């Protein structure tokens, strides 16, 4: 899926172009600040000066924001998904961030799509919310990927994780895997059963080719495998996230489905 060149978007939206644009913007900002400082004896702004590295990403960010919905719709069409710009889906009731952020206000599901990845029903949606910190209100978003599993399994996470309720970190024999992915579970035996040597090797390969996968948090919650990330806007990022999830789901041995099936609470509210 991630190797489908038609899903990688136009040439101008490729990572190399974004990196070049960011670098050029950074150089221009530095030159402007330097010239102003030379002529006036002080920087253009003491606020803009330390913010220059972050402002360099502004043009790329504007491009992503402007074309995100178009890229999602194009990816959906190319992969047999049904796309809904105004999905009207309810926000899932899942017991992990960002769905449990107490200060989140006006959490909404934006453009979404449904289809299948391999043998698994799949969906994707753009989640937005306002964070009320009393002092100021900031906007936030995540891209959410979902695979429907045959039955409910114990909770497990893989990827960046600041949620202490997920359990302890589980180490694997592959140092390369441990370096690229962090797995957390309250049941290490279950985690080792899910991540077989073949699954680990395939995830390492995907993570090496697609950095966005390493920055995505994947979580088994009830009968769903969920991916949550600030990335996943560009066509190849959508494909690579679903690729990783398919590898995890297909790699779960048969005995896990029977031995580790849990009646732990799974969200009753459907994402669609």
């Amino acid at each position: 899926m991630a190797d489908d060149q038609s899903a990688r978007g136009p040439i101008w939206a490729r990572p190399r172009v974004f990196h070049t644009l960011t670098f050029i913007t950074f150089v221009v900002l530095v030159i402007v600040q330097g010239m102003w400082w030379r002529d006036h004896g002080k920087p253009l702004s003491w606020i803009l000066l330390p913010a220059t590295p972050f402002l360099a990403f502004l043009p790329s960010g504007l491009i992503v924001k402007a074309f995100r919905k178009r890229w999602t719709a194009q990816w959906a069409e190319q992969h047999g998904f049904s796309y809904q710009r105004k999905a009207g889906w309810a926000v899932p009731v899942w017991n992990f961030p960002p769905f449990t952020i107490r200060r989140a206000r006006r959490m909404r599901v934006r453009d979404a799509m449904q289809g299948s990845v391999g043998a698994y029903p799949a969906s994707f949606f753009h989640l937005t919310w306002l964070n009320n910190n009393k002092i100021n209100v900031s906007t936030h978003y995540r891209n959410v990927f979902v695979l429907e599993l045959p039955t409910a399994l114990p909770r497990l996470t893989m990827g960046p994780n600041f949620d202490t309720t997920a359990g302890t970190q589980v180490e694997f024999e592959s140092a390369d895997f441990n370096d690229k992915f962090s797995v957390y579970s309250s049941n290490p035996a279950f985690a080792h059963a899910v991540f077989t040597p073949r699954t680990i090797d395939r995830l390492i390969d995907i993570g090496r080719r697609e950095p966005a996968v390493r920055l995505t948090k994947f979580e088994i919650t009830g009968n769903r495998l969920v991916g949550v990330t600030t990335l996943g806007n560009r066509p190849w990022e959508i494909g690579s996230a679903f690729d990783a999830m398919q590898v995890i789901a297909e790699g779960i041995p048969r005995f896990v489905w029977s031995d580790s099936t849990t009646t732990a609470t799974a969200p009753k509210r459907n994402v669609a």
Side-chain angles (χ1 to χ4, degrees), residues 198-218:
R198 175 176 170 78
T199 296
I200 287 175
D201 288 341
R202 295 181 67 185
L203 288 173
I204 290 174
D205 181 61
I206 294 176
R208 187 179 295 115
R209 290 185 287 106
E210 304 291 349
V213 171
R214 301 200 301 268
L215 299 176
T216 299
K217 177 186 176 184
F218 300 97

Side-chain angles (χ1 to χ4, degrees), residues 26-191:
F26 176 76
V27 171
V28 171
L29 289 172
V30 170
I31 292 175
V32 171
Q33 288 276 6
M35 293 176 62
W36 183 275
W37 199 324
R38 181 195 62 190
D39 297 336
H40 297 82
K42 59 181 179 180
L44 181 63
S45 168
W46 287 106
I47 297 177
L48 293 178
L49 183 63
T52 293
F54 302 99
L55 291 173
F57 291 92
L58 183 60
S60 298
L62 292 176
I63 292 175
V64 170
K65 184 176 181 179
F67 288 91
R68 176 183 59 79
K69 293 181 180 181
R70 182 182 302 179
W71 290 339
T72 303
Q74 289 176 346
W75 191 96
E77 182 179 2
Q78 292 165 354
H79 293 85
F81 276 57
S82 60
Y83 172 76
Q84 304 174 57
R85 185 167 184 175
K86 295 182 179 180
W89 296 0
V91 177
V93 182
W94 291 331
N95 191 30
F96 59 87
F99 304 95
T100 54
I101 298 177
R102 294 183 179 180
R103 294 180 178 177
R105 300 291 184 271
R106 298 180 63 184
M107 189 170 280
R108 298 287 187 272
V109 170
R110 303 297 181 181
D111 55 312
M113 57 181 172
Q114 287 181 306
S116 61
V117 172
Y120 306 94
S123 57
F124 166 94
F125 59 89
H126 187 72
L127 182 73
T128 63
W129 73 92
L130 300 177
N131 222 27
N132 185 359
N133 294 318
K134 296 184 179 180
I135 299 176
N136 68 329
V137 177
S138 55
T139 59
H140 299 265
Y141 76 88
R142 295 292 187 274
N143 289 312
V144 183
F145 303 78
V146 184
L147 285 193
E148 301 286 340
L149 302 176
T151 189
L153 295 173
R155 186 183 179 191
L156 177 150
T157 71
M158 182 189 81
N161 186 19
F162 302 98
D163 182 6
T164 58
T165 66
T168 57
Q169 186 168 359
V170 181
E171 296 291 332
F172 294 83
E173 293 185 1
S174 172
D176 198 8
F177 180 75
N178 292 331
D179 182 58
K180 288 182 171 61
F181 301 98
S182 298
V183 175
Y184 291 83
S185 174
S186 58
N187 186 345
F190 169 69

Side-chain angles (χ1 to χ4, degrees), residues 247-268:
V247 166
I248 294 172
E250 290 181 346
I252 298 177
R254 291 185 179 180
F255 75 87
V256 172
W257 297 111
S258 57
D259 294 349
S260 298
T261 298
T262 179
T263 56
T265 302
K268 299 299 184 182

